[in-house]
Each structure stands twice: as structure tokens, then as C-alpha cells.
Amino acid sequence: METLIALGKKAKQAERQLAQASSIAKNEALILMAEGLLNDTDKIIEANKKDTEAAKENGISESLLDRLTLTQERVEAMAQGLKDIAKLPDPIGLVESMWTNDAGLKIGKQSVPLGVIGIIYEARPNVTSDAAGLCFKSGNVVILRGGKEAFNSNLAVVTSLRASLEGSTLPETAIQLVEDTSRDSANEMMKLNRYLDVLIPRGGANLIKAVVENATVPVIETGTGNCHVYIDQSAQLEMATDIIVNAKTDRPSVCNAAETLLIHKDVAEDYLPVIEEALNEWKVELRADEASQKHLKAFTPATEADWETEYLDYILAVKVVDSLDEAIEHINRYSTGHSEAIVTNDYFAGQRFHREVDSAAVYVNASTRYTDGFEFGFGAEIGISTQKLHARGPMGLPELTSSKYIIFGEGQTR
Amino acid sequence: METLIALGKKAKQAERQLAQASSIAKNEALILMAEGLLNDTDKIIEANKKDTEAAKENGISESLLDRLTLTQERVEAMAQGLKDIAKLPDPIGLVESMWTNDAGLKIGKQSVPLGVIGIIYEARPNVTSDAAGLCFKSGNVVILRGGKEAFNSNLAVVTSLRASLEGSTLPETAIQLVEDTSRDSANEMMKLNRYLDVLIPRGGANLIKAVVENATVPVIETGTGNCHVYIDQSAQLEMATDIIVNAKTDRPSVCNAAETLLIHKDVAEDYLPVIEEALNEWKVELRADEASQKHLKAFTPATEADWETEYLDYILAVKVVDSLDEAIEHINRYSTGHSEAIVTNDYFAGQRFHREVDSAAVYVNASTRYTDGFEFGFGAEIGISTQKLHARGPMGLPELTSSKYIIFGEGQTR
């Protein structure tokens, strides 16, 4: 088993070659990797069985087991993902602006890879090929550190990807897997400033928190989503119902699902019973504040903790607010800064919500479920940043780049 | 003396108001602050005397004492700096791109402030007004933590700025000074994730290193510059001499000054004596590798440490290289990723240098001294980033912003 420092050194060696790789070379390699995954489907599924069987013995939950499981279809989807990445425009080498300064220097700002990206993630083995493909396309070397539950699957996927790279013009060390899945390896990775340019954690709130609190490597914080839908007094009932039902129930386990419904006091009495009925079809449990309780048939009284919780389940906190101000105040206090929506017919309420809500994606009259790199039209997504530095919101290929200034002089001195 | 947490809480309270402040309100406040500094010149200089006298007693070096000293002229320059910042375009509220996605949502990416910015800096009290002005203009609250040598000066400057803010429509808590200048306060600030969105260290290599190694708050690493000039075999002697002399001697104490000269073996014999003579006018000490020693009259033999050192002084490391490859290899190994220049007449050598050198600013035929927000035409500079995340190279007002997506829907659900 190689040490993290050994992996880091190899990554640094591959960095320059990968940064300068042509779009053609990268895309050809991505296609080879996709074909390799298809050819290795049996091996990958076999390795995955070891993981799922161990997981069952350990009494893993159904939903986690589902995330962990690879089927032929899922491997095909991973391969298709790599082919799709190959088709996206190359984010490297763009000179988006160039100007001439007072001294006559031509100064261009050119996109370049970040360098070596570390990804710490949990149970889903499809993240392995996905993240590897996106980092590769953007000219970055990647060091992947998946969860121990998925280790055999991850190893099989990475072995396949690297075998395909051997047939390409680019180094197989562009994609590396940390084989030590102990907590120590994660902790060591968080301090690996010498070899890592950035660390992206993908997973649950606890993982993200641990990385943010301990890492000295620059981190892009992703994915924790305590998202809100606020129904203004001017909202249309039908639109409000559609949006909260969609935001809560379309896929409750993902970060852009709504966790709290805020509703203006003037429409609580009329709207809440209709909304409750609609949510009942999905057996959504309501955690209601005092004011909303009188308009609901079934509920659990909400506590302070409910405003802070990302349920990722068929549970919704409900609170009646006196005003748009109170709604915005509540959101800015409890939100993780991911996605929030207002439903309103009032032009100025929408303007204020856009301006005053401090989150990565702020919606007027649409479901929070659209916060997603594919839905936004980026063609890819490495995660959704909830921090303000470097990138905020869905991150596609451009968010995996840095820049450098290239300067053309003719002998200028100051 | 207020605790950092107390300062952080006040900063968070001011954050929303500042983020939404109009350009007019911010610019008016900046002018008030500039006028306030002029009115308070005597007080500020008096406070500064306490610092400089204490520094003299402690046997501070001449150059540090110079940085620490405020004169009427320097206070005027600080005030002019604030007026200049008022004239710059507001970086907040720009929607640089907006598009319609497949579902018909209009999605706009809008610039917003980062939030609360912490600045840890050393002896120069002019950084106080400068950083405060730039953070303020970009709608950010700032928590300043200067060095203890400059504490009385910094306190006088901040007291003046805040008094001016009292006469404005914006909260004086937008600008905060940490009064505890112990090492503990710096360490606490590095972990103040709850209240700080980003931490920018400005100062010497040791300060930067300590912040990068210890901070869990997102950091923008600035300013360490082990910069190189490489003289290619095709370089014109006169241009090569001008550029290395300028890069080394124009202002040796700053981060964009050159620290190492690399020269191609084919021109070492002819060029080094001429360059040595030119550098002699500035009494530049040469730390020479073996191959260059035979072409120099006076030198100290270079050791490995010389390739890594940012002298910030009239000292230059000199090394003969066999090829452009060796020059690039050397730079990518020892550079801090700040600024590097090649002097060449060869088109392809310039192309390769631009592509393969992994630094924030890569020059063909110009002095590294141009790496500066003002020289680049940004009209301001908060520092020069040597990291790849968020910003790289000179940072102006746009680098003090984040973004959010504002989305206009008409009831869309997934």
C-alpha cells in the first residue's frame, strides 16, 4: 500500500504533462476509459458484490445499500458519463480577456488547471469515474479517497481507468486511489498542502464539517443543503403547492431538496391544508411551529433543531412568518447557503428576495431542485459549492480551473 | 478589549447592510473617510511616534522602521488612496452572464461580496486604510489584525475611519480592529470559520506560512515571490541587462523583484561580465553556481538554499543552465509561483515559457516588476495571490467578490 506522500509525488510528476495535454489527447483517453469500463463491467460488479455483501453483514440501511450497489446499467451510465465529458468544450487555455497596459505590455488572463485535486467521498462508487473524468478533462491530476464501504468497487473502477490510460498518450498516474481508507488517511490528506492544490469533500454533513474544520489544504465546501421555500401572501396557491411538493418530494435525499417551508401568515389558513393534503400523498411528516399547527391535521411540534436540520428524507419543517423580512431573516440565519425559493406574484418581493437572501442559488417562482450543473446547462457537475471563495453553486469544468497571466513584452522595465 | 468572537458577531450584523449598500453610499463614505484621515493627521502621526519610538528602543532595522513610519505625506497618500478607490467602478451587482436553461428559467450569475474578510498583516500602517477601503468598496466587512509594532498607528487610523463612518449612512462596524496583537489572537482568527469568510495574510514569508499551515478559514495566500529571470541564448544583451537590473534593483524589498538569474550556457561567457558590471552600480551581491563563477569577478558560491530564498535585498542567485528545459525545470521546482520572465528573441522559446512555467505571471521580454494591480491597470491591489484557488496574481476589487445565481422562474418544477 503506497503512502499518501508517494501518491502525492507521483501526482506532482504527472501534473505538468496533464496540464499541457491537448484536447484531442484528453478526449481520446476519456473514450478509452469509457470503453474500458464497459469491458470490465463483470469485474467491477464482482468487486462491488464484495462491498455490498460486507455492507449487508454490517446492517447498512437500504438507501445506503442502494447508493453503494453497481449494476450493469449503472456501469453503463458511468461509461456514458465519461463519453459526455469528452464532448464538452475544453476549459483549459481560454484567454477570456487580454489588454494592453500603460507600459505597452499585452496582458492575457489564461485558464489553467488547478493542479492536483483531492476528492474525499463516501459510499457511491460512481463518484469515482465521474470525478476522475472531470478532473482529467480539466487537466488536473486527481487523488481519490473513497469510503471503506466502497473500497473494492472503487479499486476495480480505478484499476480499469488506469489500464485504459496505459493505452493512451497520457500518464496513468493522472488518476490515483488512496488505498488506505482509515480515518488517518483522510486526516493526512487534509494537511497534504505540499502535493494537493485543492480538496473537495463530497458526502454527508459530518464529512464536510470534518474536512472544513481540519484541512489546511484549500477546500471547496460542497453540498450541504438546508433549503427553504417561502410562500409569500401574494403567491398563487397552485404554483405554491407544486413548487413545495416538487422541492420536497422529487428526490428528498439530495442536497437541493427543500427542508423548511415558510409561509406568510395571511395565507397560512387557506394554503396549509391544501399543501398538507398534497404532501400527504408522499407521506411527508410535518414538523410544525405553533402558528402553523392550527391549520394542519397531523404534525410533530417543531423544535429549534428542526430549523437547522437537513433531513434528506420525507420530513418538512413548517413555520408561519409575519413578513417577507422575517422569512429572509430566518433563511439567512438557518440556511446552509445552498438554494432558496420564494413563491410570489409581487414584483418587489421577488426583487428583495433575490437581493437579500445570501445563498448560492436564489429562486423566484421555481423549485430549488434546479440547482444542479446539468439543469443549469453546464453539462457536468463536480459538486455544489456552499462557500463563497473560488466557486459558489453548481461547479462544472470551469470551476476546476485557475488562471495565469501571460505577458508579452518588448523589453519593458519600470 | 473586545474578544474576537464579539468582533465577529458585530461584523456579521453589519454584513447584510454593507452587502446591499448602494455605490453612492459607499463612495460618499470613502470620501468622508479620506477627509477624516486628513483632519486627523496630527493625531495619527502622534500615535505613530509611540510606535516608532518603541521600535527604535527594540532595535528594529532601518528598513522596517521606514515601513512603520507615517509622515504627513504618507497620511495624505492614504487619504488619496481612499479617494481613488471611490472612483473605481463598483464590483458588486454585476450580472456578467445570464441565460435561459432548458426548463425556461432565466439564470443570472451576479457578483456579491465575500462577506467578512480578515486581514492579518505586519508593520505597515498604510495597509490599514488601504485594505479597509478596498474591502468597504467591495461591500465586505473587514476585521483587521495588524502587527503589535504598529498597534498605536493602526488604532489611530481605524478610530479615524470609524468616526467618519458615523457621519455616513453605513455602519462603523464595517471596519473593525483586533486590539489583541498577541500570537493567540492571530491563531484564534485563523480558526474563526463561523465569522470569517476569508482570511488574507499580508506580510513576510513566515507570516504567510503560519497562516497557510494553521488556518481553517479559507485563505488567499499572498505575496511570497521567489521570482526568476531567464536569459535565453537568443536574448539581446542590452535588453537582458536592462531587465535583470530592473527586476533586481528597482525595489528589492518587494515580492515581484527577481531573486535568481538563470542564463543559457551559450551566452554566459559574453553576457555575465556585462551584467555583473551593471549590477555593480547597485552593489548587488552575486550567489553564483560553479558554471557561472568563471565568468564573474566577485561572487559568493551558491548553495541549495540560495535557489529557495526570497532575499528581498541586493542579492541575486546566478545559475548557468544547459537549456530552456533546465530553466523551466528549475523555475517550477524552486519558484513560489509569483512572477518569472524570459528574455529571448526566439518565438518558440517564448511560447514554451508561457505554457510550461507554472506561475501567476509569466513574462516574455519584460521585467517581473510589472506584477502589480496598478501596473496591470486594475486601479487597486489588495495583494498578489500565489495560490491557485479563487484568485491568482494581482488582486483588485473583483477578486474581493463572490457570486450568486439569481433565477427567474414562472412556476417551473422538475
Side-chain angles (χ1 to χ4, degrees):
Chain A
M1 202 157 64
E2 285 182 295
T3 65
L4 262 168
I5 289 175
L7 295 183
K9 280 186 182 162
K10 284 187 192 167
K12 277 285 158 200
Q13 279 160 12
E15 186 183 6
R16 194 165 141 204
Q17 197 182 344
L18 211 66
Q20 293 169 43
S22 71
S23 304
I24 292 174
K26 289 187 286 188
N27 293 339
E28 282 176 356
L30 282 163
I31 299 296
L32 284 178
M33 286 191 255
E35 285 164 359
L37 284 183
L38 294 176
N39 289 335
D40 293 335
T41 303
D42 291 347
K43 276 190 231 167
I44 292 168
I45 290 180
E46 204 175 308
N48 182 251
K49 281 223 174 79
K50 284 192 217 165
D51 289 331
T52 52
E53 274 159 23
K56 279 180 213 160
E57 275 172 34
N58 292 329
I60 201 177
S61 77
E62 272 304 310
S63 72
L64 269 178
L65 185 63
D66 176 58
R67 289 192 199 194
L68 180 57
T69 304
L70 288 178
T71 60
Q72 181 163 354
E73 257 182 6
R74 286 186 178 179
V75 176
E76 278 167 18
M78 286 160 62
Q80 187 57 47
L82 293 175
K83 288 181 189 170
D84 291 345
I85 292 170
K87 282 185 211 135
L88 290 171
D90 193 328
I92 298 304
L94 294 172
V95 181
E96 281 183 21
S97 62
M98 185 169 230
W99 65 95
T100 304
N101 81 346
D102 289 349
L105 295 171
K106 283 212 301 292
I107 303 174
K109 188 175 186 178
Q110 177 178 318
S111 63
V112 298
L114 286 165
V116 183
I117 298 179
I119 315 251
I120 298 186
Y121 57 110
E122 292 179 327
R124 288 194 305 176
N126 60 325
V127 170
T128 309
S129 69
D130 208 29
L134 290 168
C135 291
F136 187 83
K137 173 82 181 202
S138 50
N140 293 292
V141 175
V142 68
I143 298 183
L144 298 156
R145 195 264 181 209
K148 68 171 184 301
E149 317 77 37
F151 176 69
N152 292 295
S153 318
N154 292 337
L155 184 61
V157 170
V158 169
T159 303
S160 170
L161 297 177
R162 288 175 62 130
S164 299
L165 276 177
E166 271 186 44
S168 83
T169 56
L170 292 170
E172 58 162 6
T173 45
I175 299 173
Q176 315 227 21
L177 183 72
V178 180
E179 299 196 11
D180 174 0
T181 57
S182 69
R183 188 162 297 202
D184 285 351
S185 83
N187 286 334
E188 195 187 338
M189 208 163 156
M190 295 178 204
K191 313 261 186 206
L192 208 64
N193 296 54
R194 183 149 175 202
Y195 300 108
L196 287 180
D197 292 284
V198 54
L199 192 59
I200 305 179
R202 284 186 57 166
N206 287 336
L207 169 68
I208 311 278
K209 192 160 170 265
V211 172
V212 169
E213 280 176 4
N214 296 305
T216 53
V217 174
V219 169
I220 304 180
E221 194 178 342
T222 67
T224 326
N226 181 16
C227 304
H228 298 73
V229 173
Y230 166 57
I231 299 178
D232 184 47
Q233 75 261 49
S234 70
Q236 298 169 44
L237 174 58
E238 198 185 339
M239 188 183 290
T241 309
D242 285 353
I243 286 176
I244 185 62
V245 168
N246 181 263
K248 180 69 261 180
T249 69
D250 181 47
R251 212 171 150 203
S253 65
V254 294
C255 58
N256 59 20
E259 306 293 3
T260 296
L261 167 66
L262 301 172
I263 186 162
H264 192 278
K265 65 175 171 19
D266 290 354
V267 293
E269 187 177 351
D270 289 345
Y271 286 17
L272 279 178
V274 179
I275 290 167
E276 181 178 22
E277 206 186 318
L279 289 169
N280 253 343
E281 280 189 42
W282 304 88
K283 300 198 172 58
V284 175
E285 178 191 338
L286 302 178
R287 304 272 175 93
D289 79 327
E290 233 180 279
S292 62
Q293 290 172 13
K294 17 182 185 185
H295 311 302
L296 296 169
K297 284 186 199 154
F299 56 83
T300 311
T303 65
E304 177 74 10
D306 284 297
W307 313 131
E308 292 167 348
T309 304
E310 186 187 13
Y311 303 114
L312 297 172
D313 203 345
Y314 291 94
I315 304 173
L316 181 68
V318 183
K319 183 182 170 71
V320 172
V321 295
D322 286 347
S323 62
L324 175 59
D325 278 300
E326 193 187 340
I328 292 172
E329 205 78 48
H330 180 98
I331 291 170
N332 285 339
R333 178 161 174 200
Y334 293 106
S335 169
T336 53
H338 193 294
S339 300
E340 332 291 345
I342 185 175
V343 190
T344 187
N345 270 19
D346 180 336
Y347 173 86
F348 289 101
Q351 286 282 104
R352 278 197 57 202
F353 199 79
H354 267 161
R355 186 170 55 239
E356 296 184 28
V357 170
D358 185 20
S359 291
V362 186
Y363 293 83
V364 175
N365 293 326
S367 168
T368 54
R369 285 277 294 123
Y370 285 102
T371 305
D372 173 278
F374 295 94
E375 292 294 328
F376 269 32
F378 299 165
E381 183 185 285
I382 189 83
I384 295 172
S385 166
T386 52
Q387 72 179 32
K388 293 187 179 175
L389 213 64
H390 185 70
R392 198 177 189 204
M395 296 187 290
L397 290 171
E399 283 71 27
L400 293 179
T401 71
S402 180
S403 60
K404 73 175 168 193
Y405 289 103
I406 53 168
I407 298 128
F408 297 81
E410 294 171 83
Q412 283 89 341
T413 56
R414 275 178 79 179
Chain B
M1 202 156 64
E2 286 183 295
T3 65
L4 261 168
I5 290 175
L7 295 182
K9 280 186 180 159
K10 284 189 192 165
K12 277 285 158 200
Q13 280 161 11
E15 185 184 6
R16 195 165 141 206
Q17 196 182 343
L18 209 67
Q20 293 168 44
S22 70
S23 303
I24 292 173
K26 289 187 286 189
N27 292 340
E28 282 175 355
L30 282 164
I31 299 295
L32 284 178
M33 287 191 255
E35 285 164 359
L37 284 183
L38 294 176
N39 290 334
D40 292 336
T41 303
D42 291 347
K43 277 190 231 167
I44 292 168
I45 290 180
E46 205 175 309
N48 181 250
K49 281 225 174 78
K50 284 192 219 166
D51 289 332
T52 51
E53 276 160 21
K56 279 180 214 160
E57 274 172 34
N58 292 328
I60 202 176
S61 77
E62 271 306 308
S63 72
L64 269 178
L65 185 64
D66 177 58
R67 289 191 199 195
L68 180 57
T69 304
L70 288 179
T71 60
Q72 180 162 353
E73 257 181 7
R74 285 185 179 180
V75 176
E76 278 168 18
M78 285 160 64
Q80 187 57 46
L82 293 174
K83 288 181 189 170
D84 291 344
I85 292 169
K87 282 184 211 136
L88 291 172
D90 193 328
I92 298 304
L94 295 172
V95 181
E96 280 182 22
S97 62
M98 184 169 231
W99 65 96
T100 305
N101 80 346
D102 289 349
L105 295 171
K106 282 212 302 291
I107 303 173
K109 188 174 187 179
Q110 177 178 316
S111 63
V112 298
L114 285 165
V116 182
I117 298 179
I119 315 251
I120 298 187
Y121 56 110
E122 293 181 325
R124 286 194 305 176
N126 61 324
V127 170
T128 307
S129 69
D130 206 30
L134 290 168
C135 290
F136 187 84
K137 172 84 181 201
S138 50
N140 293 293
V141 176
V142 69
I143 298 182
L144 298 157
R145 195 265 181 209
K148 68 171 185 303
E149 316 76 37
F151 175 70
N152 292 296
S153 319
N154 292 337
L155 184 61
V157 170
V158 169
T159 303
S160 170
L161 296 177
R162 289 176 61 131
S164 299
L165 276 177
E166 271 186 47
S168 83
T169 57
L170 293 170
E172 56 162 7
T173 45
I175 298 173
Q176 314 228 22
L177 183 72
V178 180
E179 300 195 10
D180 175 359
T181 56
S182 69
R183 189 163 295 202
D184 285 352
S185 82
N187 286 333
E188 196 188 337
M189 207 163 158
M190 296 178 203
K191 314 264 185 203
L192 208 65
N193 295 56
R194 185 151 174 199
Y195 299 109
L196 287 180
D197 293 284
V198 54
L199 192 58
I200 305 179
R202 283 186 59 165
N206 286 337
L207 168 68
I208 311 277
K209 191 160 171 267
V211 173
V212 169
E213 280 176 4
N214 296 306
T216 54
V217 174
V219 170
I220 305 180
E221 193 178 340
T222 66
T224 326
N226 181 16
C227 304
H228 298 72
V229 173
Y230 166 57
I231 299 177
D232 183 47
Q233 75 261 47
S234 70
Q236 299 169 42
L237 173 58
E238 196 184 343
M239 187 184 289
T241 309
D242 285 353
I243 287 176
I244 185 63
V245 168
N246 182 262
K248 179 69 258 179
T249 69
D250 181 46
R251 213 172 149 202
S253 65
V254 295
C255 58
N256 59 20
E259 307 294 4
T260 296
L261 167 66
L262 302 171
I263 186 162
H264 192 279
K265 66 175 169 22
D266 290 355
V267 292
E269 187 178 349
D270 288 344
Y271 286 16
L272 279 179
V274 179
I275 290 167
E276 182 180 20
E277 206 186 317
L279 289 169
N280 252 342
E281 280 189 42
W282 305 88
K283 300 198 173 57
V284 175
E285 178 190 338
L286 302 178
R287 304 271 175 95
D289 79 327
E290 231 181 282
S292 62
Q293 289 172 13
K294 10 180 189 184
H295 310 302
L296 296 170
K297 283 186 199 151
F299 56 83
T300 311
T303 65
E304 177 74 10
D306 284 297
W307 312 131
E308 292 167 348
T309 304
E310 187 187 12
Y311 302 114
L312 297 172
D313 203 346
Y314 290 95
I315 304 172
L316 180 69
V318 183
K319 184 182 168 72
V320 171
V321 294
D322 286 348
S323 61
L324 175 58
D325 278 300
E326 193 188 339
I328 293 172
E329 205 79 48
H330 180 98
I331 292 170
N332 285 339
R333 175 160 174 202
Y334 293 106
S335 170
T336 54
H338 192 298
S339 300
E340 331 292 345
I342 184 175
V343 190
T344 187
N345 268 21
D346 180 336
Y347 173 85
F348 289 102
Q351 286 283 103
R352 279 196 57 202
F353 199 79
H354 267 161
R355 185 170 57 241
E356 296 183 30
V357 169
D358 186 19
S359 291
V362 186
Y363 293 83
V364 175
N365 294 326
S367 168
T368 54
R369 286 277 294 125
Y370 285 102
T371 305
D372 173 281
F374 295 93
E375 292 294 327
F376 270 32
F378 299 164
E381 182 185 287
I382 188 83
I384 295 172
S385 166
T386 51
Q387 72 179 32
K388 292 187 180 177
L389 214 65
H390 185 70
R392 198 178 190 204
M395 296 187 289
L397 289 170
E399 283 71 27
L400 294 178
T401 71
S402 179
S403 59
K404 73 175 167 193
Y405 290 102
I406 54 169
I407 298 129
F408 297 82
E410 293 171 83
Q412 283 89 339
T413 56
R414 276 179 79 178

